């Protein structure tokens, strides 16, 4: 079992719709969870971090965490073509000296 | 201007050579990380360090070495033992307060 799992996609969503990205993790000792966006050939940039169960909203983005199910998701409302990128889920495993592990990423394509 | 700097941006290595990738940060972060990214893939952890003079192997440490003699610096050496080193290498430092991992611009290494 991979430590952090994501569907590789591509996920195609029409402009203006909601894009839903999902991630599961294996280490129950994980403390902090992150969503990064990466454009082709560029470095990842942080969209959201979350560490408490429930929802966290920032503009068009909402992160959801369920530690009991070991599941974290990202919703993007009113999707724009500029949202087309690869989205990386990352998890901080405190049980392993703050090791930060990334998933393989989901490619998101917003079609006009 | 605080940030994390990787150099060089592009690096070419001949078969059998060791090369060193530089990573410097002035964000005063204790934790630093090295990741490798292959085309269409996520980030895989090579080495990480929580404090000066201490570091841990990640999931793909074979063929790589690091040092952490200063808080600001975490260089990565790709040795001749790494049989397939062509990849995009990303260095990150970690702010536990945010929390957030900040990335450098990356080094693209090619074996010629």
């Amino acid at each position: 079992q991979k430590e952090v799992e994501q569907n590789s996609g591509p996920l195609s969503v029409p402009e203006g719709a909601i894009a839903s990205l999902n991630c599961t993790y294996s280490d129950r000792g994980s403390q902090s969870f992150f969503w990064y966006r990466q454009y082709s050939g560029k470095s990842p940039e942080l969209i959201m971090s979350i560490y408490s169960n429930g929802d966290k909203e920032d503009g068009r983005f909402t992160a959801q965490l369920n530690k009991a199910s070991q599941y974290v998701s990202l919703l993007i409302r009113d999707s724009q073509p500029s949202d087309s990128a690869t989205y990386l889920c990352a998890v901080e495993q405190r049980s392993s000296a703050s090791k930060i592990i990334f998933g393989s990423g989901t490619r998101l394509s917003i079609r006009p | 201007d605080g940030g994390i700097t990787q150099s060089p941006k592009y690096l070419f290595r001949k078969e059998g050579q060791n090369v060193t990738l530089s990573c410097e940060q002035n964000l005063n972060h204790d934790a630093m990380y090295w990741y490798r990214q292959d085309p269409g893939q996520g980030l895989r952890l090579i080495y990480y360090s929580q404090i000066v003079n201490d570091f841990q192997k990640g999931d793909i440490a074979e063929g790589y070495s690091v040092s952490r003699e200063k808080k600001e610096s975490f260089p990565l050496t790709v040795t001749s033992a790494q049989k397939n080193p062509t990849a995009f290498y990303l260095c990150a430092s970690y702010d536990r307060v945010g929390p957030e991992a900040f990335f450098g611009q990356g080094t693209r290494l090619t074996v010629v």
Side-chain angles (χ1 to χ4, degrees):
Chain A
Q1 182 186 6
K2 286 185 180 178
E3 293 175 283
V4 180
E5 292 206 59
Q6 298 180 251
N7 287 328
S8 61
L11 176 65
S12 181
V13 172
E15 185 174 355
I18 295 175
S20 177
L21 304 163
N22 304 313
C23 173
T24 57
Y25 60 94
S26 60
D27 183 359
R28 285 197 173 273
S30 300
Q31 297 276 331
S32 299
F33 307 85
F34 309 90
W35 282 102
Y36 281 81
R37 178 175 62 199
Q38 187 180 27
Y39 294 112
S40 182
K42 302 295 185 182
S43 299
E45 52 184 343
L46 183 71
I47 299 174
M48 298 277 289
S49 62
I50 186 168
Y51 39 85
S52 300
N53 275 328
D55 294 0
K56 180 181 178 182
E57 187 174 320
D58 184 1
R60 296 187 296 114
F61 300 95
T62 299
Q64 300 173 316
L65 175 61
N66 183 326
K67 288 188 178 181
S69 300
Q70 295 174 243
Y71 175 90
V72 58
S73 66
L74 180 70
L75 299 177
I76 306 174
R77 290 181 298 281
D78 188 24
S79 296
Q80 302 297 308
S82 59
D83 294 327
S84 296
T86 295
Y87 289 79
L88 299 163
C89 173
V91 173
E92 181 190 7
Q93 298 178 340
R94 291 284 178 90
S95 57
S96 302
S98 294
K99 185 178 177 181
I100 300 177
I101 299 296
F102 282 78
S104 57
T106 298
R107 280 191 297 133
L108 175 65
S109 175
I110 307 300
R111 57 182 190 271
Chain B
D1 215 5
I4 181 165
T5 302
Q6 289 186 244
S7 62
K9 190 173 180 181
Y10 299 97
L11 185 57
F12 298 90
R13 191 193 94 166
K14 293 183 179 178
E15 295 277 356
Q17 268 187 342
N18 292 354
V19 291
T20 298
L21 283 58
S22 171
C23 179
E24 302 277 334
Q25 56 104 354
N26 60 5
L27 300 167
N28 200 34
H29 294 162
D30 287 316
M32 297 186 74
Y33 300 79
W34 274 106
Y35 295 92
R36 169 181 172 143
Q37 188 173 37
D38 293 285
Q41 304 295 315
L43 277 61
R44 292 187 290 167
L45 183 63
I46 305 173
Y47 269 98
Y48 61 112
S49 168
Q50 299 301 314
I51 199 167
V52 173
N53 292 323
D54 188 41
F55 48 83
Q56 290 78 37
K57 292 182 179 180
D59 300 319
I60 57 164
E62 186 174 347
Y64 300 98
S65 66
V66 294
S67 63
R68 188 84 188 276
E69 296 175 2
K70 299 187 299 181
K71 188 175 186 177
E72 302 80 14
S73 179
F74 191 40
L76 173 74
T77 296
V78 184
T79 75
S80 57
Q82 172 48 240
K83 296 306 179 189
N84 185 22
T86 295
F88 187 44
Y89 290 86
L90 287 158
C91 180
S93 68
Y94 186 55
D95 172 16
R96 291 196 180 89
V97 176
E100 180 176 352
F102 292 82
F103 284 88
Q105 293 305 300
T107 293
R108 200 165 294 278
L109 174 62
T110 304
V111 173
V112 296

